[in-house]
Amino acid sequence: TNALLREFHSLNRKVNISHLEGGFKAFLTAYPGLIITEDKKSCISETYFDVPLSIPTVVVPARLFLGSLEDSKNVEIMRSLRIKRVVLVTKYKGVYTFYPDEFDYMRMEPLPVSFENSANLVWNFVNAADYDRNATILVGHSVDSATATYAIAYLIQTEKLSM
């Protein structure tokens, strides 16, 4: 791990890296509510943390953010970032509209049969928020790459990027 840390520090940009002595076993002991197991439906216990673990990641400044389900429950963070729309990427059915009077919500399947059609629905949802000078957050119910896939696809489309 020291060689890896030296390599990251040698990069010409600022990188914040934390090293947890004891590795995964220490993490499991310190944060059992963040571990996903086969028999759990939720990765974070609602009562485990009193403060948010993070803030959403900026994908497109003032327009699109990538965050967690916990981020979408934090009204103060959502307001401060001018987020008015929430796209929840999850396979689980349920009510995830925590503040329906304040935010607009959309639920998408993680890997739909037709990703292009689903992505177009998300783009329209994001663009409607942008039209009102507000932002959208993409959140996932669990830790996986499906939510980030929508963000990457959005960047490819709006910035005319190629893979």
Side-chain angles (χ1 to χ4, degrees), residues 52-96:
L53 296 174
S54 65
I55 59 170
T57 301
V58 177
V59 177
V60 178
R63 185 172 191 182
L64 185 63
F65 295 87
L66 186 61
S68 67
L69 187 62
E70 295 300 308
D71 292 331
S72 71
K73 293 179 185 179
N74 190 315
V75 176
E76 291 79 25
I77 288 177
M78 301 274 282
R79 285 181 187 148
S80 70
L81 296 173
R82 296 178 50 105
I83 294 171
K84 289 301 246 175
R85 292 177 177 245
V86 179
V87 177
L88 177 67
V89 181
T90 182
K91 65 182 178 182
Y92 299 109
K93 307 272 190 254
V95 179
Y96 300 103

Side-chain angles (χ1 to χ4, degrees), residues 115 148-157 159-163:
F115 180 78
T149 300
Y150 279 100
I152 292 166
Y154 182 81
L155 283 174
I156 289 171
Q157 182 205 36
E159 302 298 319
K160 308 289 189 246
L161 302 173
S162 62
M163 302 256 323

Side-chain angles (χ1 to χ4, degrees), residues 28 86 102 106 109 133 137 146 155-156 160:
L28 178 61
V86 179
E102 189 160 355
M106 170 187 264
E109 289 288 325
R133 299 205 179 274
I137 184 170
L155 283 174
I156 289 171
K160 308 289 189 246

